[in-house]
Amino acid sequence: MKEMNISFNLNGKNYSFSVPTNMTLLQILRETIGLTGTKKGCDKGDCGACTVLFNGVTVNSCLILAPQVDSAEITTIEGIGSVDKPHPIQKAFVEEGAVQCGFCTPGMVVSSYSLLIKNPEPTEEEIREALSGNLCRCTGYIKIFNAVKEASKEEKKIGR
Ligand code: FES
Ligand code: FES
């Protein structure tokens, strides 16, 4: 397979290397860089487990190919929060019991983060719409929606 050089910014850090042109962003993140927070579910754009921010917009990283990654700015779950420094959205997911198996959680958090940046006080309908591309087979969604509502209140309190 043909290779190409790509340069991009990931979670505030610059990367540059050669990859096969048919490699997906999801593979680059998980296999080349070793950031495994972004999950591989369906690998065909249906589940949202692989959601990342790509130039400020949520995308399914399993559908983005290496040539598109060149010059992009990418934020993954690792760029949003960590175990030591969780983002208020991550804290709210834990506190509301919105994490069961956890497989969908990074994608859910990235989509919620994107929503709250654009719309800090979303309605229930806006939360449902924003998370409509993220599938969860454990929680029944209600606790996830509640977590996003709680996170929006918390972000307001700390003035984010
Ligand atoms: S793994 Fe990308 S949408 Fe399911
Ligand atoms: S918590 Fe298991 S898929 Fe959502």
Side-chain angles (χ1 to χ4, degrees), residues 95-142:
E95 282 159 15
E96 293 298 314
V99 182
Q100 286 188 25
C101 81
F103 202 80
C104 70
T105 309
M108 289 283 184
V109 170
V110 172
S111 294
S112 305
Y113 177 79
S114 170
L115 169 68
L116 295 185
I117 287 175
K118 287 179 279 185
N119 180 1
E121 291 179 70
T123 62
E124 163 101 23
E125 206 182 321
E126 287 167 336
I127 295 171
R128 285 175 181 249
E129 171 66 31
L131 299 183
S132 60
N134 294 84
L135 303 185
C136 175
R137 63 182 196 183
C138 307
T139 65
Y141 298 97
I142 301 299

Short mmCIF file of all heavy atoms in Angstrom, two decimals, residues 95-142:
data_model
loop_
_atom_site.label_atom_id
_atom_site.label_comp_id
_atom_site.label_asym_id
_atom_site.label_seq_id
_atom_site.Cartn_x
_atom_site.Cartn_y
_atom_site.Cartn_z
N GLU A 95 -20.85 10.15 38.47
CA GLU A 95 -21.79 10.44 39.57
C GLU A 95 -23.23 10.05 39.23
O GLU A 95 -23.99 9.64 40.11
CB GLU A 95 -21.70 11.93 39.95
CG GLU A 95 -20.46 12.19 40.82
CD GLU A 95 -20.02 13.65 40.82
OE1 GLU A 95 -20.81 14.52 40.39
OE2 GLU A 95 -18.87 13.90 41.24
N GLU A 96 -23.61 10.17 37.97
CA GLU A 96 -24.99 9.84 37.57
C GLU A 96 -25.18 8.36 37.22
O GLU A 96 -26.25 7.95 36.81
CB GLU A 96 -25.41 10.70 36.36
CG GLU A 96 -25.54 12.18 36.64
CD GLU A 96 -26.62 12.50 37.68
OE1 GLU A 96 -27.73 11.96 37.57
OE2 GLU A 96 -26.34 13.30 38.59
N GLY A 97 -24.12 7.58 37.31
CA GLY A 97 -24.22 6.16 36.95
C GLY A 97 -24.42 5.96 35.45
O GLY A 97 -25.07 5.00 35.02
N ALA A 98 -23.83 6.86 34.65
CA ALA A 98 -24.00 6.80 33.20
C ALA A 98 -22.96 5.91 32.52
O ALA A 98 -22.92 5.84 31.29
CB ALA A 98 -23.94 8.22 32.63
N VAL A 99 -22.12 5.26 33.32
CA VAL A 99 -21.10 4.37 32.77
C VAL A 99 -21.39 2.95 33.26
O VAL A 99 -21.43 2.71 34.46
CB VAL A 99 -19.68 4.77 33.26
CG1 VAL A 99 -18.63 3.87 32.64
CG2 VAL A 99 -19.40 6.24 32.95
N GLN A 100 -21.62 2.04 32.32
CA GLN A 100 -21.77 0.63 32.73
C GLN A 100 -20.57 -0.14 32.19
O GLN A 100 -19.52 -0.14 32.81
CB GLN A 100 -23.13 0.10 32.32
CG GLN A 100 -24.21 0.69 33.25
CD GLN A 100 -25.58 0.09 33.04
OE1 GLN A 100 -25.74 -1.03 32.58
NE2 GLN A 100 -26.60 0.85 33.41
N CYS A 101 -20.68 -0.72 30.99
CA CYS A 101 -19.46 -1.38 30.47
C CYS A 101 -18.41 -0.34 30.11
O CYS A 101 -17.23 -0.63 30.09
CB CYS A 101 -19.77 -2.27 29.28
SG CYS A 101 -19.93 -1.38 27.71
N GLY A 102 -18.85 0.88 29.79
CA GLY A 102 -17.92 1.97 29.50
C GLY A 102 -17.45 2.05 28.06
O GLY A 102 -16.71 2.98 27.72
N PHE A 103 -17.87 1.12 27.23
CA PHE A 103 -17.33 1.10 25.86
C PHE A 103 -17.75 2.32 25.05
O PHE A 103 -16.99 2.86 24.26
CB PHE A 103 -17.75 -0.20 25.14
CG PHE A 103 -16.85 -0.53 23.99
CD1 PHE A 103 -15.62 -1.15 24.22
CD2 PHE A 103 -17.20 -0.19 22.70
CE1 PHE A 103 -14.76 -1.43 23.16
CE2 PHE A 103 -16.35 -0.47 21.63
CZ PHE A 103 -15.13 -1.10 21.88
N CYS A 104 -18.98 2.77 25.28
CA CYS A 104 -19.48 3.93 24.53
C CYS A 104 -19.03 5.25 25.15
O CYS A 104 -19.19 6.31 24.55
CB CYS A 104 -21.01 3.92 24.48
SG CYS A 104 -21.77 4.27 26.10
N THR A 105 -18.52 5.20 26.39
CA THR A 105 -18.35 6.42 27.20
C THR A 105 -17.40 7.46 26.57
O THR A 105 -17.76 8.64 26.53
CB THR A 105 -17.90 6.05 28.63
OG1 THR A 105 -18.79 5.05 29.14
CG2 THR A 105 -17.94 7.26 29.53
N PRO A 106 -16.22 7.06 26.08
CA PRO A 106 -15.36 8.11 25.49
C PRO A 106 -16.06 8.87 24.36
O PRO A 106 -16.00 10.09 24.30
CB PRO A 106 -14.15 7.32 24.98
CG PRO A 106 -14.12 6.09 25.84
CD PRO A 106 -15.55 5.75 26.08
N GLY A 107 -16.74 8.14 23.49
CA GLY A 107 -17.46 8.79 22.38
C GLY A 107 -18.59 9.67 22.90
O GLY A 107 -18.80 10.79 22.40
N MET A 108 -19.29 9.20 23.91
CA MET A 108 -20.38 9.99 24.51
C MET A 108 -19.82 11.28 25.10
O MET A 108 -20.42 12.35 24.96
CB MET A 108 -21.07 9.19 25.63
CG MET A 108 -21.91 8.04 25.16
SD MET A 108 -23.49 8.64 24.51
CE MET A 108 -24.29 7.06 24.18
N VAL A 109 -18.69 11.16 25.79
CA VAL A 109 -18.10 12.33 26.45
C VAL A 109 -17.61 13.34 25.39
O VAL A 109 -17.82 14.54 25.53
CB VAL A 109 -16.96 11.92 27.41
CG1 VAL A 109 -16.18 13.13 27.91
CG2 VAL A 109 -17.53 11.13 28.59
N VAL A 110 -17.00 12.84 24.32
CA VAL A 110 -16.53 13.75 23.27
C VAL A 110 -17.72 14.48 22.63
O VAL A 110 -17.69 15.71 22.44
CB VAL A 110 -15.69 13.00 22.20
CG1 VAL A 110 -15.37 13.92 21.02
CG2 VAL A 110 -14.40 12.47 22.80
N SER A 111 -18.79 13.77 22.34
CA SER A 111 -19.98 14.41 21.75
C SER A 111 -20.60 15.41 22.72
O SER A 111 -21.04 16.49 22.32
CB SER A 111 -21.02 13.36 21.35
OG SER A 111 -20.53 12.57 20.30
N SER A 112 -20.64 15.06 24.01
CA SER A 112 -21.19 15.97 25.02
C SER A 112 -20.32 17.22 25.16
O SER A 112 -20.82 18.33 25.27
CB SER A 112 -21.27 15.27 26.38
OG SER A 112 -22.00 14.08 26.29
N TYR A 113 -19.02 17.01 25.13
CA TYR A 113 -18.06 18.12 25.23
C TYR A 113 -18.27 19.09 24.06
O TYR A 113 -18.36 20.31 24.25
CB TYR A 113 -16.65 17.51 25.19
CG TYR A 113 -15.50 18.47 25.20
CD1 TYR A 113 -15.08 19.07 26.39
CD2 TYR A 113 -14.80 18.76 24.03
CE1 TYR A 113 -13.99 19.94 26.40
CE2 TYR A 113 -13.71 19.62 24.04
CZ TYR A 113 -13.32 20.21 25.22
OH TYR A 113 -12.23 21.06 25.24
N SER A 114 -18.40 18.54 22.87
CA SER A 114 -18.62 19.37 21.69
C SER A 114 -19.93 20.16 21.82
O SER A 114 -19.99 21.35 21.50
CB SER A 114 -18.65 18.46 20.46
OG SER A 114 -19.07 19.16 19.34
N LEU A 115 -20.96 19.49 22.33
CA LEU A 115 -22.26 20.16 22.52
C LEU A 115 -22.12 21.31 23.51
O LEU A 115 -22.57 22.44 23.23
CB LEU A 115 -23.30 19.16 23.05
CG LEU A 115 -24.61 19.78 23.53
CD1 LEU A 115 -25.41 20.36 22.37
CD2 LEU A 115 -25.46 18.75 24.29
N LEU A 116 -21.50 21.05 24.67
CA LEU A 116 -21.45 22.07 25.72
C LEU A 116 -20.54 23.25 25.36
O LEU A 116 -20.74 24.35 25.86
CB LEU A 116 -21.03 21.45 27.06
CG LEU A 116 -22.01 20.44 27.65
CD1 LEU A 116 -21.55 19.97 29.03
CD2 LEU A 116 -23.42 21.00 27.75
N ILE A 117 -19.58 23.03 24.47
CA ILE A 117 -18.76 24.16 24.00
C ILE A 117 -19.66 25.11 23.20
O ILE A 117 -19.64 26.32 23.37
CB ILE A 117 -17.59 23.68 23.11
CG1 ILE A 117 -16.53 23.01 23.97
CG2 ILE A 117 -16.98 24.83 22.33
CD1 ILE A 117 -15.40 22.40 23.16
N LYS A 118 -20.48 24.51 22.32
CA LYS A 118 -21.32 25.34 21.44
C LYS A 118 -22.56 25.85 22.15
O LYS A 118 -23.06 26.92 21.85
CB LYS A 118 -21.76 24.50 20.22
CG LYS A 118 -20.62 24.25 19.23
CD LYS A 118 -21.10 23.42 18.06
CE LYS A 118 -21.12 21.97 18.45
NZ LYS A 118 -21.43 20.98 17.52
N ASN A 119 -23.07 25.04 23.07
CA ASN A 119 -24.35 25.33 23.69
C ASN A 119 -24.27 24.94 25.18
O ASN A 119 -24.58 23.82 25.55
CB ASN A 119 -25.43 24.50 22.95
CG ASN A 119 -26.79 24.69 23.50
OD1 ASN A 119 -26.98 25.47 24.44
ND2 ASN A 119 -27.77 24.00 22.93
N PRO A 120 -23.83 25.87 26.03
CA PRO A 120 -23.57 25.53 27.44
C PRO A 120 -24.82 25.15 28.24
O PRO A 120 -24.68 24.55 29.30
CB PRO A 120 -22.94 26.81 28.00
CG PRO A 120 -22.57 27.64 26.83
CD PRO A 120 -23.47 27.25 25.71
N GLU A 121 -26.00 25.52 27.74
CA GLU A 121 -27.22 25.16 28.49
C GLU A 121 -28.21 24.46 27.57
O GLU A 121 -29.28 24.99 27.25
CB GLU A 121 -27.85 26.42 29.09
CG GLU A 121 -27.02 27.03 30.21
CD GLU A 121 -27.65 28.28 30.77
OE1 GLU A 121 -28.69 28.15 31.44
OE2 GLU A 121 -27.12 29.36 30.51
N PRO A 122 -27.88 23.27 27.13
CA PRO A 122 -28.75 22.59 26.16
C PRO A 122 -30.05 22.08 26.79
O PRO A 122 -30.08 21.75 27.99
CB PRO A 122 -27.89 21.41 25.69
CG PRO A 122 -26.98 21.13 26.84
CD PRO A 122 -26.72 22.44 27.50
N THR A 123 -31.08 22.02 25.99
CA THR A 123 -32.34 21.41 26.43
C THR A 123 -32.18 19.89 26.32
O THR A 123 -31.25 19.39 25.66
CB THR A 123 -33.50 21.83 25.52
OG1 THR A 123 -33.21 21.35 24.20
CG2 THR A 123 -33.69 23.34 25.50
N GLU A 124 -33.12 19.17 26.92
CA GLU A 124 -33.10 17.70 26.82
C GLU A 124 -33.11 17.27 25.35
O GLU A 124 -32.37 16.37 24.94
CB GLU A 124 -34.35 17.17 27.55
CG GLU A 124 -34.70 15.73 27.22
CD GLU A 124 -34.27 14.75 28.29
OE1 GLU A 124 -34.10 15.16 29.46
OE2 GLU A 124 -34.11 13.56 27.94
N GLU A 125 -33.92 17.96 24.55
CA GLU A 125 -34.00 17.60 23.13
C GLU A 125 -32.66 17.83 22.42
O GLU A 125 -32.23 17.02 21.59
CB GLU A 125 -35.08 18.46 22.48
CG GLU A 125 -35.70 17.82 21.27
CD GLU A 125 -36.73 18.74 20.65
OE1 GLU A 125 -37.48 19.39 21.41
OE2 GLU A 125 -36.77 18.78 19.42
N GLU A 126 -31.99 18.93 22.76
CA GLU A 126 -30.70 19.22 22.14
C GLU A 126 -29.65 18.19 22.57
O GLU A 126 -28.78 17.82 21.78
CB GLU A 126 -30.26 20.64 22.50
CG GLU A 126 -31.08 21.70 21.77
CD GLU A 126 -30.91 23.12 22.33
OE1 GLU A 126 -30.54 23.28 23.51
OE2 GLU A 126 -31.17 24.06 21.57
N ILE A 127 -29.72 17.75 23.82
CA ILE A 127 -28.78 16.70 24.28
C ILE A 127 -29.04 15.41 23.51
O ILE A 127 -28.11 14.77 22.99
CB ILE A 127 -28.92 16.47 25.81
CG1 ILE A 127 -28.50 17.72 26.58
CG2 ILE A 127 -28.10 15.27 26.25
CD1 ILE A 127 -28.81 17.68 28.08
N ARG A 128 -30.31 15.04 23.39
CA ARG A 128 -30.64 13.81 22.66
C ARG A 128 -30.17 13.88 21.21
O ARG A 128 -29.62 12.93 20.66
CB ARG A 128 -32.16 13.57 22.70
CG ARG A 128 -32.62 13.07 24.05
CD ARG A 128 -34.13 12.94 24.12
NE ARG A 128 -34.52 12.46 25.44
CZ ARG A 128 -35.04 11.25 25.68
NH1 ARG A 128 -35.26 10.41 24.70
NH2 ARG A 128 -35.34 10.88 26.90
N GLU A 129 -30.37 15.04 20.60
CA GLU A 129 -29.95 15.24 19.20
C GLU A 129 -28.41 15.12 19.09
O GLU A 129 -27.90 14.43 18.21
CB GLU A 129 -30.45 16.62 18.74
CG GLU A 129 -29.94 17.10 17.39
CD GLU A 129 -30.42 16.26 16.23
OE1 GLU A 129 -31.53 15.71 16.33
OE2 GLU A 129 -29.66 16.16 15.23
N ALA A 130 -27.71 15.78 20.01
CA ALA A 130 -26.24 15.78 19.96
C ALA A 130 -25.66 14.38 20.15
O ALA A 130 -24.60 14.06 19.63
CB ALA A 130 -25.67 16.73 21.02
N LEU A 131 -26.36 13.54 20.92
CA LEU A 131 -25.84 12.19 21.20
C LEU A 131 -26.50 11.12 20.32
O LEU A 131 -26.30 9.93 20.55
CB LEU A 131 -26.04 11.85 22.68
CG LEU A 131 -25.32 12.75 23.69
CD1 LEU A 131 -25.54 12.26 25.12
CD2 LEU A 131 -23.83 12.84 23.40
N SER A 132 -27.25 11.58 19.32
CA SER A 132 -28.01 10.61 18.51
C SER A 132 -27.11 9.69 17.69
O SER A 132 -27.53 8.61 17.27
CB SER A 132 -29.01 11.33 17.60
OG SER A 132 -28.31 12.20 16.74
N GLY A 133 -25.84 10.09 17.47
CA GLY A 133 -24.93 9.22 16.71
C GLY A 133 -24.12 8.30 17.61
O GLY A 133 -23.25 7.57 17.12
N ASN A 134 -24.37 8.34 18.91
CA ASN A 134 -23.60 7.51 19.85
C ASN A 134 -24.53 6.44 20.43
O ASN A 134 -25.49 6.76 21.12
CB ASN A 134 -23.05 8.38 21.00
CG ASN A 134 -22.02 9.38 20.52
OD1 ASN A 134 -22.36 10.46 20.05
ND2 ASN A 134 -20.76 9.02 20.61
N LEU A 135 -24.21 5.20 20.15
CA LEU A 135 -25.06 4.11 20.63
C LEU A 135 -24.53 3.55 21.95
O LEU A 135 -23.32 3.45 22.16
CB LEU A 135 -25.11 2.98 19.60
CG LEU A 135 -25.61 3.38 18.20
CD1 LEU A 135 -25.74 2.14 17.33
CD2 LEU A 135 -26.93 4.13 18.27
N CYS A 136 -25.48 3.21 22.84
CA CYS A 136 -25.12 2.57 24.11
C CYS A 136 -26.05 1.39 24.29
O CYS A 136 -27.27 1.52 24.16
CB CYS A 136 -25.32 3.56 25.27
SG CYS A 136 -25.03 2.78 26.88
N ARG A 137 -25.47 0.23 24.59
CA ARG A 137 -26.37 -0.92 24.76
C ARG A 137 -26.56 -1.29 26.22
O ARG A 137 -27.16 -2.32 26.52
CB ARG A 137 -25.91 -2.10 23.93
CG ARG A 137 -24.57 -2.65 24.30
CD ARG A 137 -24.26 -3.77 23.35
NE ARG A 137 -23.18 -4.60 23.85
CZ ARG A 137 -22.69 -5.61 23.19
NH1 ARG A 137 -23.16 -5.92 22.00
NH2 ARG A 137 -21.73 -6.33 23.68
N CYS A 138 -26.05 -0.48 27.14
CA CYS A 138 -26.16 -0.83 28.56
C CYS A 138 -27.10 0.06 29.35
O CYS A 138 -27.83 -0.42 30.19
CB CYS A 138 -24.80 -0.75 29.23
SG CYS A 138 -23.50 -1.68 28.45
N THR A 139 -27.01 1.37 29.15
CA THR A 139 -27.59 2.29 30.15
C THR A 139 -29.04 2.68 29.94
O THR A 139 -29.66 3.23 30.85
CB THR A 139 -26.78 3.60 30.20
OG1 THR A 139 -26.93 4.26 28.92
CG2 THR A 139 -25.32 3.37 30.48
N GLY A 140 -29.56 2.51 28.73
CA GLY A 140 -30.91 3.01 28.45
C GLY A 140 -30.92 4.52 28.22
O GLY A 140 -32.00 5.11 28.13
N TYR A 141 -29.77 5.14 28.17
CA TYR A 141 -29.56 6.55 27.79
C TYR A 141 -29.97 7.59 28.82
O TYR A 141 -29.41 8.68 28.86
CB TYR A 141 -30.24 6.89 26.44
CG TYR A 141 -29.70 6.11 25.28
CD1 TYR A 141 -30.34 4.96 24.82
CD2 TYR A 141 -28.51 6.49 24.65
CE1 TYR A 141 -29.84 4.23 23.76
CE2 TYR A 141 -28.01 5.77 23.58
CZ TYR A 141 -28.67 4.63 23.14
OH TYR A 141 -28.17 3.90 22.09
N ILE A 142 -30.98 7.32 29.65
CA ILE A 142 -31.51 8.36 30.54
C ILE A 142 -30.41 8.89 31.47
O ILE A 142 -30.27 10.10 31.66
CB ILE A 142 -32.70 7.82 31.38
CG1 ILE A 142 -33.82 7.33 30.45
CG2 ILE A 142 -33.23 8.89 32.36
CD1 ILE A 142 -34.41 8.40 29.55
#
